[in-house]
Amino acid sequence: QYPEQQLFADSVYDEIAFGLRNFGVPEEHIKQKVENALLTVGLDPAVYAQRSPLALSGGQKRRVAIGCMLAISPQTFIFDEPAAGLDSAGRIWIRQLLCQLNASGHTVIWVSHDMAEVAETARRVIIMDMGHIIADGNPQDVFSRQDALDAAGLAPSPAAHLVRELKERGADIPGIAVTADGAFAEIAAYLEDKAHV
């Protein structure tokens, strides 16, 4: 959840190179892999490679920790609340990065209790309770299962909550949106219809 707490090396370069060296990557290939990882996480190698990772800001430390994983380039990434403690720009960045990883063919498992984040990002959602799967499907299907959300102690995304509440109060809308864009579309269409009445 807080990968930056694992940092230990004297330099950012050595921090990222550590895993590569453990996997037996030849030194002549490590430099390029470290630089590529730093560029991917938005840190200029010329500026950050020789800095102490412990002297960086919290967001920069998170980027270095993620860079350590990227350098190794596993097929599957597992992130536990990767946006925890980040500001809104950091949350947007991490979400975009994980989507890019997934689009490039990597499997990305993202553990989160932020239902808005899940609704906006995930293609498949699995809700677990005490080690058991209680819902599995696309966000639209899973977030329509109030029983599963209740069983896991989760609230629907704010967008889903809003359109359901409006529908229950008599608004003639589908009430099925789970994202902010979807809620906006439902409400805009409803208001447009009302304006023409």
Side-chain angles (χ1 to χ4, degrees):
Q1 189 170 16
Y2 295 101
E4 61 274 14
Q5 294 177 0
Q6 73 187 20
L7 303 177
F8 64 90
D10 292 333
S11 70
V12 168
Y13 183 94
D14 287 335
E15 189 72 51
I16 295 175
F18 179 79
L20 295 167
R21 289 178 178 134
N22 280 343
F23 279 108
V25 175
E27 281 297 324
E28 60 267 22
H29 299 300
I30 288 178
K31 183 175 188 291
Q32 189 61 54
K33 289 181 176 292
V34 169
E35 288 181 358
N36 288 345
L38 284 170
L39 290 171
T40 302
V41 297
L43 297 175
D44 182 347
V47 175
Y48 291 96
Q50 296 310 314
R51 292 182 62 183
S52 167
L54 304 177
L56 301 177
S57 71
Q60 291 167 338
K61 288 178 181 177
R62 181 81 49 101
R63 289 174 187 246
V64 169
I66 292 170
C68 293
M69 292 186 296
L70 295 176
I72 298 168
S73 192
Q75 179 55 43
T76 302
F77 291 90
I78 301 174
F79 292 90
D80 182 10
E81 303 275 2
L86 296 179
D87 61 15
S88 60
R91 288 193 299 275
I92 290 168
W93 171 80
I94 191 77
R95 202 163 59 219
Q96 289 172 339
L97 174 66
L98 301 191
C99 288
Q100 288 169 1
L101 288 171
N102 187 240
S104 67
H106 296 277
T107 300
V108 176
I109 299 170
W110 182 340
V111 179
S112 180
H113 290 87
D114 183 335
M115 294 302 100
E117 186 177 79
V118 170
E120 295 286 343
T121 309
R123 291 194 320 231
R124 179 181 177 192
V125 177
I126 299 172
I127 296 179
M128 299 186 73
D129 183 43
M130 303 298 288
H132 299 283
I133 294 174
I134 56 175
D136 182 355
N138 66 51
Q140 192 87 39
D141 293 339
V142 169
F143 288 126
S144 70
R145 295 213 27 220
Q146 192 61 48
D147 62 322
L149 294 172
D150 290 344
L154 298 171
S157 68
H161 177 73
L162 174 64
V163 295
R164 287 180 192 164
E165 184 74 20
L166 289 172
K167 185 175 177 86
E168 287 173 12
R169 292 179 181 223
D172 186 18
I173 60 174
I176 60 172
V178 296
T179 65
D181 287 346
F184 177 82
E186 282 194 29
I187 294 167
Y190 168 70
L191 293 175
E192 189 173 323
D193 286 346
K194 294 273 289 180
H196 290 113
V197 172

